[in-house]
Amino acid sequence: MAINFLYPEYEVIRDKDKCIGCRVCERQCANEVHSYDEDSGCMVSDNAKCVCCHRCVALCPTGALKIVKTNHTFRENANWTGEHICEIYRQAGTGGVLLSSMGNPKNYPIYWDKMLINASQVTNPSIDPLREPMETRVFLGAKPEKVEFNSKGEIKNNLTPQLKLDIPIMFSAMSYGSISYNAHESLARAAEELGTYYNTGEGGLHKDFYKYGPHTIVQVASGRFGVHKDYLNAGAAIEIKMGQGAKPGIGGHLPGIKVGDDISKTRMIPKGSDAISPAPHHDIYSIEDLRQLVYSLKEASDYKKPVIVKIAAVHNVAAIASGIARGGADIIAIDGYRGGTGAAPTTIRDNVGIPIELALASVDQRLREEGIRNRVSIVVGGSIRSSSDIVKAIALGADAVYIGTSALMALGCHLCRSCQHGKCNWGIATQREDLVRRLNPDIGYKRLVNLLTAWNHEIKEMMGGMGINSIEALRGNRLMLRGIGLTEVELNILGIKHAGQ
Amino acid sequence: MKRIYVDEKWCLGCHLCEYYCAFANSGKDDMAKALKNVKINPRIQIEEKDGISFAVSCRHCEEPLCVKGCITGALSVVDGVIQIDSDKCVGCYTCVLSCPYGAIMPSESDDGVVQKCELCLKNSHGKPACVEGCPNRAIIYEEKE
């Protein structure tokens, strides 16, 4: 191109005194940023190709590399930021929709960071989880209206199917296709060891992973990829995906280039064909239609498995959730606007949907007001970043949380947000064999187990501080939260008082 | 006895093991100082072809041909580890020729004529540096039947 409008966003800084020319950076960069210059005997880099994934930085044995954001600047303008200008140049050059991945990175308010957790002092003693029993096990599914007895006075088992979670954290839906075989294996093995669940996403279930079935949630999405009777019965629960936080109202598109042998078999589509998930389910145009699918799936699985309906957090989420609860779902999963994706139009990812904190609070409130909160469990996802986010979510009314982005970060993801290119240097969001190999599930699953074990410890510590020894007693306990720097409207929606009140 | 094993399934061919080996045996305490502008001659080496790669170093054979062939007794088995006594080695390279893995090679350092992996037991690292430095657990140090 004669005129290059775009200056590289990141620059590779190499400390020449430390660089020993081992060329590991060159071998490990799928974007081909680094190369060895025979003439000068030095490593050189092409900054324009760098996505800032830190693979080279992490592997450089002498710590000779760092990546910095360029300080090259446009003339300062608070309205026309460099980002806007560059996007216009890019689109004027290509005529295409801008694509991005992972979650909304924009500077919107993060309500988790505007809520504070309570702790007991004199009158209600705190509990030390290292000395006293502390329960973080939860059961997801509809809870009966009342206890019933038979003629002999024994309690009748009127419980519908439940999911038993040893920790209130599950791995959210990420399809085989969007992430690699080794990433899936890591999630599956970690879920098994932790006593929780991972989710197939809409890509079907690879034949090797049926053995993790008791710890698998199988998803049915608008493309219905890989859905058949054995699939539905392989998992512990079935999830209907209506929407996704990163791209509410948008379907999915796995390019044919990623549909290799294994994925084609798993998704039940021809090799090399694009896997297109429509924006809507073409058989669902109302709550009644959704109810039909819920019951079709229950019928197909002999009423032995809870059915989850997953929706994106959008403006009228509370009314939708009420419909879903009445539509016969056992669990509602809500995905906030910060939720991740393997590819989405940037403008959708960054501008559509609402924060999960507000969606959760309003759904929980609405279901309670309607007296149907017991009919469903609520699982929330869309940027759960820490154990304190989880405690706050549960106090706002969630039964459990879904984590996707944080799980991938445990596997090595550095949030370079370039999944759509399929050249993930960490072996996660790629199907290229040499790159997939970089994620050894023996290491990956252990890192996931470590993360969730650590979080569970922290959750127990925070519960102990509040004088609560069972996570059930924290759920919806909004008195344990106080807002900080929030307006009256925000406090009302969240159903919490301001700090000091 | 604990030995070094390699798993080609997880080897990325990044060659880091070679550099960690060279550093561990350099006697220096800073990697950049030890290897800057140095053409390394590591005791572990990556073999690669057609997308498959793996690291090769001394297998510490139970019946080592190198030890049998050594004309001066410079090579010996100590607790299962094949070690080299540089003072005795005369540089006949019989061991270099007889090792079926190509894991013994001429040394470029001043204190010996040939070199081989001694599991980092004699250098300042104390345990195999290639194993610790492998980013994908493709080289492991363990006891196997």
Side-chain angles (χ1 to χ4, degrees), chain B residues 24 61 75:
Chain B
C61 308
L75 286 166

Side-chain angles (χ1 to χ4, degrees), chain A residues 32-76:
Chain A
E32 300 176 338
V33 169
H34 307 272
S35 57
Y36 182 69
D37 181 50
E38 295 281 353
D39 295 339
S40 64
C42 288
M43 296 301 302
V44 291
S45 31
D46 179 354
N47 292 335
K49 294 175 178 164
C50 180
V51 297
C52 194
C53 77
H54 291 197
R55 179 73 182 178
C56 56
V57 174
L59 265 75
C60 176
T62 58
L65 289 170
K66 66 174 176 181
I67 313 291
V68 297
K69 192 166 167 52
T70 181
N71 57 6
H72 172 73
T73 186
F74 291 100
R75 188 152 185 160
E76 271 188 35

Side-chain angles (χ1 to χ4, degrees), chain A residues 205-282:
Chain A
L205 183 60
H206 192 284
K207 60 179 175 12
D208 295 354
F209 298 146
Y210 274 75
K211 62 179 176 217
Y212 302 111
H215 294 278
T216 306
I217 294 169
V218 296
Q219 200 181 58
V220 175
S222 62
R224 306 281 154 90
F225 295 119
V227 176
H228 54 97
K229 188 164 181 290
D230 293 344
Y231 170 76
L232 294 175
N233 284 295
I238 303 170
E239 179 171 278
I240 301 171
K241 177 197 168 189
M242 297 305 300
Q244 177 178 348
K247 42 180 176 179
I250 295 276
H253 182 168
L254 186 74
I257 192 159
K258 288 191 186 175
V259 182
D261 249 345
D262 251 9
I263 290 179
S264 121
K265 278 188 199 125
T266 307
R267 292 209 175 202
M268 297 158 53
I269 54 172
K271 197 175 154 185
S273 62
D274 288 9
I276 295 173
S277 300
H281 286 249
H282 285 310

Side-chain angles (χ1 to χ4, degrees), chain A residues 307-318:
Chain A
V307 171
I308 307 168
V309 174
K310 177 180 175 179
I311 50 168
V314 288
H315 299 180
N316 49 351
V317 64

